[in-house]
Amino acid sequence: MEGIYFDNNATTRVDPAVVEAMLPYFTEQFGNPSSMHSFGNKVGLAIKKARMQVQELLGAEHDSEIIFTSCGTESDSTALLSALKAQPERKEIITTTVEHPAILTLCAYLEKEGYKVHYLKVDGKGRLDLDEYKKLLSEQTAVVSVMWANNETGTFFPVVEMAELANAAGAMFHTDAVQAVGKVPLNLKDTKIDMLSVSGHKLHAPKGIGVLYLKRGTRFRPLLRGGHQERGRRAGTENTTSIVGLGKAAEMALEAMTFENTEVARLRDKLEAAILAKVPRSFVTGNPDNRLPNTSNIAFEFIEGEAILLLLNKFGIAASSGSACTSGSLEPSHVMRAMGIPYTAAHGTVRFSLSRYSTEAEVDRVIAVVPEIIAQLRKLSPYWEGDGPAAEPEKAFAPTYA
Amino acid sequence: MWDYSDKVKEHFFQPRNAGVLADANGVGDVGSISCGDALRLMLKVEPDTDIILDAHFQTFGCGSAIASSSALTEMIKGKTLDEALKVSNQDIADYLDGLPPEKMHCSVMGREALQAAVANYRGEVWSDDHEEGALICKCFAIDAVLIEDTIRANELCSVEDVTNYTKAGGGCSSCHEGIEEILAKVMAERGESFKPGTPAKEEAKPVGMTNLQRIRKIEAVLEMVRPQLKRDGGDIELVDVDGKTIYVNMTGACAGCQMEALTLQGIQQKLMEELKEFIKIVPTKAGALSRATCHP
Ligand SMILES: Cc1ncc(COP(=O)(O)O)c(C=O)c1O
Ligand code: FES
């Protein structure tokens, strides 16, 4: 059986047309774009084309605002570290409690280095309080880093508006748009966003290629110094094949933008509505009214996510979960905790993330399988009795901490 | 995805003894909802003989938590309470052909549920003394709480000390940053500051043993295990000794296979007992001792 892949926020399949565009750059077009001879020249032109394709997807004003990096994480690190280096007099960062570890782990490290990091809280639907944000902005703020869309729930943040506010306070604004790029129309030239991170493997390009958008005029200090690649802003011989692949993927994402926001969204909505209707004690996390078109994050109360994933996997269905066990940590997803989702539900969250390759038949199959799996696991749960949760579940089962 | 053994998968997909045991006379509820693993163990004990006639479980938890619960109930049925209490965490893990290091706490939970259920049957109150911290060293499944307590109790001041006392950090060494952080924190409590490069507290090599004696001892241990290996069509030879690392060459039937890792672990344990120091055994050919699981 061909598997059903509903984990596109983790990574996506490389589109066959992208692979095809890349192949010549492994073989005959192997030259170094920096070389003077014709082996390098063609490759240099291919990179130039890819840069323009990405520029177009992002709605950037200049192609020189596109810096190719090795991944989304590198773009995030480069952005924050550059902002701190370029403005040594400013010692504070504002971010959110629900960022990806690419930002949060870095911020925890920067705190140890003496920087002050403010973490904006979210409400039960994963929304920020802009008043809290406005109060925190000051002359001390070096950079604000707020993701465009949350990877677990898909919830959007008002980054365009927040960038205006940061700009007015003289602070730089960075957004981790790894989940948004390719799914949301962007027009960066009309925003005050200074820096934005992209990761190729979330939009059907290969893994290990990323972009840092850097608005012209934004003060910058490179992470990697060396050769003159990327105008000296990111040294190291270019990953030519992946850059070409990302360019092609960007072009295709732009073409599919309407489809993503209509057809993919329709399939997602169908999946979500049917599961909620069939499975008691389940609910959507995040803000269903303002989120990525492909993402649905559903909490199944009183059971644990890794167990759900293992059973789904048995049916050939791939999804992901915010449970502690799936990450080998001691706490469930920080995003669920930040939204105040109780532990008995946070561990049972499952994220379904579709793509433009998802089909109606796949959605129907998942709808058919999920209720059974949930019922099967609930039979094992000490919180569950027969067809419903035990009366006062938290009292019926109150284990000793061990 | 976790690297679960077939046995773990089997017990997860077809759990034995799942669900409520109506006439249970000993019940233990343990676990932590914040960690996402909790278990209710129900025992039916024959009062005259203390024999466990039946055991059931209900588990809120991941695949290995469910599998460990299922395994535990199978292991203790038919045993007397005292026999059952001898079942260790390692026994549960072994019954399942091993658990990934991140999941060892699932077997701990099974054992504690058993203690709690027995206490409940006997009308005693069970209190647990187990505290779990974030996993620091994946090679040896050592968590932050154990490292912290050990540093405090023994006034340790170097990563090497921590390795000598807990094993943590003695494998791939990727956890050294984490260990240094804990050292810095605990040392600050006692008014010291952590300095990288501080020599280990104790010379790990027992005094009085020369290098030559040490190598002879190592060879003697390897000689002891060779007959067993040869019977299985394999062999082992000593290649080099570099401080605490002992390089060996595995040949024959099981070089590079899963068995090799198990065998090497056993030999490493024997060597540590004989040499009375922490050592690491490294195969020089294909196959590695620790198959760290990798997950995105
Ligand atoms: C929001 C977000 N930021 C950053 C990353 C990291 O991207 P990469 O894997 O390319 O480093 C991811 C991907 O997991 C993500 O979802
Ligand atoms: S993780 Fe600690 S030594 Fe490998």
Side-chain angles (χ1 to χ4, degrees), chain A residues 172-199:
Chain A
M172 290 187 188
F173 191 90
H174 165 256
T175 178
D176 176 338
V178 163
Q179 292 294 342
V181 172
K183 298 170 200 154
V184 182
L186 299 177
N187 200 10
L188 293 180
K189 59 175 147 329
D190 293 341
T191 73
K192 291 278 193 292
I193 293 169
D194 298 297
M195 294 175 282
L196 173 145
S197 303
V198 182
S199 175

Side-chain angles (χ1 to χ4, degrees), chain A residues 197-219:
Chain A
S197 303
V198 182
S199 175
H201 71 99
K202 310 286 183 180
L203 57 136
H204 306 287
K207 293 151 195 48
I209 183 73
V211 163
L212 177 64
Y213 160 85
L214 179 70
K215 193 181 272 305
R216 182 171 285 184
T218 303
R219 294 175 63 217

Side-chain angles (χ1 to χ4, degrees), chain B residues 136-140 167-176 179 290:
Chain B
I136 300 290
C137 179
K138 289 194 183 184
C139 288
F140 296 104
K167 281 198 194 176
C172 67
S173 81
S174 4
C175 57
H176 286 194
I179 295 176
S290 69

Side-chain angles (χ1 to χ4, degrees), chain B residues 224-240:
Chain B
M224 257 159 48
V225 298
R226 282 179 85 180
Q228 167 81 41
L229 290 174
K230 283 190 168 152
R231 228 172 298 140
D232 298 337
D235 203 354
I236 188 167
E237 63 182 3
L238 183 63
V239 174
D240 198 6

Side-chain angles (χ1 to χ4, degrees), chain A residues 112 302-304 306-307 309-311 313-314 324-328 330-332 343-344 347 376-377 379-384 396-402, chain B residues 1-2 4 12-13 15 18 29-40 58-64 66 103 112 126 128 130 132-134 181 295:
Chain A
K112 279 189 219 144
F302 309 119
I303 51 177
E304 197 276 340
E306 189 212 88
L309 297 189
L310 289 172
L311 287 175
N313 187 56
K314 211 175 156 208
C325 283
T326 46
S327 61
L330 292 173
E331 279 268 315
Y343 284 118
T344 42
H347 283 290
Q376 183 181 338
L377 285 172
K379 267 193 227 145
L380 299 180
S381 169
Y383 291 105
W384 203 256
F397 183 66
T400 320
Y401 184 92
Chain B
M1 189 66 80
W2 299 110
Y4 283 140
F12 169 67
F13 288 124
D29 289 353
V30 300
S32 156
I33 293 308
S34 67
C35 305
D37 275 320
L39 151 68
R40 168 175 291 165
Q58 284 178 301
T59 293
F60 170 88
C62 62
S64 61
I66 290 173
K103 302 290 187 159
E112 300 197 329
W126 179 78
D128 95 282
H130 167 103
E132 194 179 5
E181 271 171 26
H295 50 95

